[in-house]
Amino acid sequence: MKKRLLIGMICLVGALFFPTELFSQTDLQIHKVFEKYARNKNAVMIELSEDMLESYNLTLYKSIAVKDDAAATDYMRRCLKKDQEGAKKIKQVMKAGELWSAYYQLAKKGSDNRYILFRNDPEAGATLIYIETPVETDNIVNLLLKKQ
């Protein structure tokens, strides 16, 4: 737990040195989630520094986790619904008619593959992740599963 907190803090400090507008996914609806909930008291947002990105072969990593906020989770789902149009569904789990978890591959941005990951957990809250990387789908999914 301490290690995760330390890594999160390092990433957060690193993110302060890079203007969000330079790297943001402003063409997507989920961009609004990051803008709206970044300063929410129940939210934790992480952007990786350039050094961390390079070590994982990523060009952008941005995540936000929101706990105990049903409105934020619903807002994430609404934004995801718009962004998933035209996206390749790598995995999608629905429970009781609601999106529970999803891995989408979006159209490329230049030479980078783009991915959106979403997970809702009643205890941990909702997490939304946006990734840009030259790495292909199978490799990035394996990387994410291996690092958890």
Side-chain angles (χ1 to χ4, degrees):
M1 182 68 181
K2 288 183 181 180
K3 185 177 180 180
R4 283 188 181 190
L5 182 59
L6 179 62
I7 290 172
M9 293 300 292
I10 290 169
C11 295
L12 185 60
V13 170
L16 294 174
F17 295 103
F18 298 98
T20 305
E21 294 75 25
L22 293 176
F23 301 110
S24 65
Q25 65 294 344
T26 56
D27 61 323
L28 301 173
Q29 291 296 309
I30 61 165
H31 173 71
K32 295 176 183 178
V33 174
F34 292 103
E35 284 184 338
K36 185 172 184 172
Y37 293 101
R39 290 177 173 70
N40 186 309
K41 68 178 181 174
N42 295 334
V44 175
M45 190 169 102
I46 297 173
E47 290 183 78
L48 294 183
S49 69
E50 193 170 333
D51 291 340
M52 290 292 292
L53 290 169
E54 286 177 15
S55 69
Y56 288 101
N57 200 19
L58 303 173
T59 50
L60 176 64
Y61 175 96
K62 196 174 200 180
S63 70
I64 189 162
V66 181
K67 189 171 182 174
D68 299 326
D69 192 336
T73 302
D74 289 341
Y75 189 73
M76 285 182 194
R77 285 185 177 124
R78 285 194 307 272
C79 290
L80 277 168
K81 188 172 184 171
K82 292 180 182 178
D83 287 338
Q84 78 176 5
E85 294 172 10
K88 177 182 175 185
K89 292 178 188 174
I90 298 169
K91 182 179 178 181
Q92 182 174 294
V93 176
M94 303 289 284
K95 287 186 181 179
E98 290 188 333
L99 183 64
W100 198 255
S101 68
Y103 303 115
Y104 302 122
Q105 181 176 11
L106 304 169
K108 283 190 170 192
K109 182 178 180 183
S111 62
D112 283 336
N113 296 296
R114 303 186 308 158
Y115 303 94
I116 297 175
L117 297 89
F118 170 78
R119 181 170 182 216
N120 183 32
D121 182 301
E123 293 181 26
T127 302
L128 179 66
I129 301 171
Y130 176 76
I131 298 171
E132 290 181 6
T133 177
V135 176
E136 293 297 325
T137 305
D138 292 339
N139 295 335
I140 195 67
V141 171
N142 289 336
L143 172 72
L144 290 169
L145 295 176
K146 191 189 290 187
K147 295 294 177 187
Q148 289 183 352

